[in-house]
Amino acid sequence: MHIGKRIKEVLELQGHNVVWLASQISCERSNIYNMFKRDNIGVDLLQKVCCALGHDFFKELSNDLQATEGFSKK
């Protein structure tokens, strides 16, 4: 999963914009645009985004990992 693209999708589905998200997580608008381009982000930043959007990206990432061919629980 490309997490930056997914965050952008959820943001748009909820009707929010970049300025709104930047204000929610206390960062510059340019940082949000850069985040959309990244295929991975830090746990702390992802937690802030999850809280702001009320969306569990961690669960999506976990489901994506479990669906990956060759993944097995130990």
Side-chain angles (χ1 to χ4, degrees):
M1 173 190 307
H2 190 287
I3 192 64
K5 288 179 183 177
R6 183 64 184 134
I7 291 169
K8 183 178 180 182
E9 288 173 4
V10 171
L11 181 71
E12 291 172 353
L13 284 170
Q14 292 187 3
H16 299 299
N17 61 29
V18 170
V19 174
W20 178 86
L21 183 56
S23 71
Q24 295 299 302
I25 64 172
S26 301
C27 75
E28 297 291 322
R29 184 180 61 183
S30 60
N31 291 337
I32 302 298
Y33 287 114
N34 288 334
M35 181 175 56
F36 292 159
K37 297 176 187 174
R38 295 166 54 186
D39 64 353
N40 62 67
I41 63 174
V43 173
D44 292 338
L45 178 55
L46 186 57
Q47 183 178 6
K48 289 178 184 179
V49 172
C50 287
C51 290
L53 293 173
H55 187 89
D56 191 348
F57 292 101
F58 290 102
K59 185 174 183 177
E60 285 190 31
L61 288 167
S62 178
N63 290 342
D64 190 57
L65 177 63
Q66 291 178 16
T68 302
E69 195 171 323
F71 178 78
S72 64
K73 294 182 181 180
K74 293 188 178 197

